[in-house]
Amino acid sequence: SNPGQVSGTITIGGDIPADTVVHPTSDVTTCGTELTDVTIEHTGPLLAGAVVWLDGVRSGKPLPLVRRYDVINEGCLIVPRVQAAIAGGTINVRSLDPVTHRTRLIRTGESKPIALVTETDEGQVVPLDHALEVPGQIEIRCDQHPWTRGYIAVFDHPYFAVTTANGAFAFASVPPGKYTLRWDGKDNAGKPVKPGKYTVFIEASREHGTYGIMKQEINWDGKAAQFTLPGNTEIASASLDYGKHN
């Protein structure tokens, strides 16, 4: 059988949370006296910066050749806020600011940092070749500027994506089979999204062939629920299980 493509869109329902306004008290020449820390990146109701992945697939296409990623301190913020990476890759911690940054990387569920990088001037780069050793989520902070946050989701397979500015994601070269599509329910600030109205789209297409789409609107009140969606030409069946998970 020919491999296919799975794609979709994540949208936000209800009120979109306001951005956070920070008033730095140090390094104001670089940070400014007021800066905006974006809570959710979005285009209208379309959610950007959400990490989506497929469970249960380890073959079908090769791992990405590029395994070097940047964490940048710029304007007293960490850029990008959210990214995804392959286990075994290298992180370049960069500073574009003429001030001291102490960048701390912590794996979720652990208290001891993976690394602590001190940079004191613009243009410095410190490579870390051990931070991405195992799959999981890494939180990035700057000790000097405590409002900063960044996140890296680390995978040991190639079927992952970060939603684009229009909330879209896609996985190509997916072999036929039964899969679990996961989203951790967090926005690009690493915070769980609030109860509200959401729309889930599931699209599947052959790389050379037909195309199918499923759509399910949900009104999440914070409680667990499940829907079964009818099949179509490309997707035999799909179930949607959502709620709070530990």
Side-chain angles (χ1 to χ4, degrees), residues 24-33 75-76 97-99:
T25 57
S26 63
D27 297 326
V28 294
T29 301
T30 298
C31 305
T33 57
C76 302
D97 297 334
V99 297

Side-chain angles (χ1 to χ4, degrees), residues 9-198:
T9 305
I10 296 180
T11 63
I12 308 167
D15 296 332
I16 295 174
D19 295 335
T20 301
V21 178
V22 179
H23 297 277
T25 57
S26 63
D27 297 326
V28 294
T29 301
T30 298
C31 305
T33 57
E34 179 178 295
L35 59 83
T36 299
D37 188 14
V38 176
T39 300
I40 292 180
E41 293 183 9
H42 64 96
T43 302
L46 305 174
L47 178 63
V51 180
V52 185
W53 66 97
L54 285 177
D55 267 0
V57 55
R58 289 295 184 273
S59 62
K61 70 175 182 178
L63 294 172
L65 295 177
V66 177
R67 301 187 190 183
R68 188 173 292 272
Y69 310 92
D70 286 332
V71 169
I72 305 171
N73 288 286
E74 181 177 11
C76 302
L77 294 172
I78 291 174
V79 182
R81 173 68 69 88
V82 175
Q83 59 182 309
I86 285 289
T90 298
I91 299 174
N92 288 330
V93 180
R94 300 178 180 272
S95 176
L96 300 183
D97 297 334
V99 297
T100 297
H101 288 296
R102 285 172 54 85
T103 305
R104 183 182 297 266
L105 286 79
I106 304 172
R107 190 170 286 116
T108 298
E110 300 180 5
S111 57
K112 183 180 179 180
I114 304 169
L116 180 60
V117 177
T118 300
E119 295 170 310
T120 58
D121 204 358
E122 180 180 3
Q124 287 185 275
V125 181
V126 176
L128 300 176
D129 58 7
H130 65 282
L132 303 178
E133 289 180 339
V134 297
Q137 180 173 297
I138 296 172
E139 182 175 350
I140 308 165
R141 309 174 185 173
C142 175
D143 291 350
Q144 301 297 111
H145 309 100
W147 59 83
T148 58
R149 288 291 186 275
Y151 302 89
I152 303 177
V154 185
F155 296 92
D156 59 359
H157 62 81
Y159 295 102
F160 61 85
V162 179
T163 55
T164 64
N166 61 356
F169 64 89
F171 308 112
S173 299
V174 179
K178 183 178 180 180
Y179 301 106
T180 300
L181 178 66
R182 295 188 182 276
W183 168 42
D184 61 7
K186 296 178 181 179
D187 58 31
N188 70 304
K191 298 179 180 179
V193 296
K194 297 180 179 180
K197 294 181 179 179
Y198 297 88

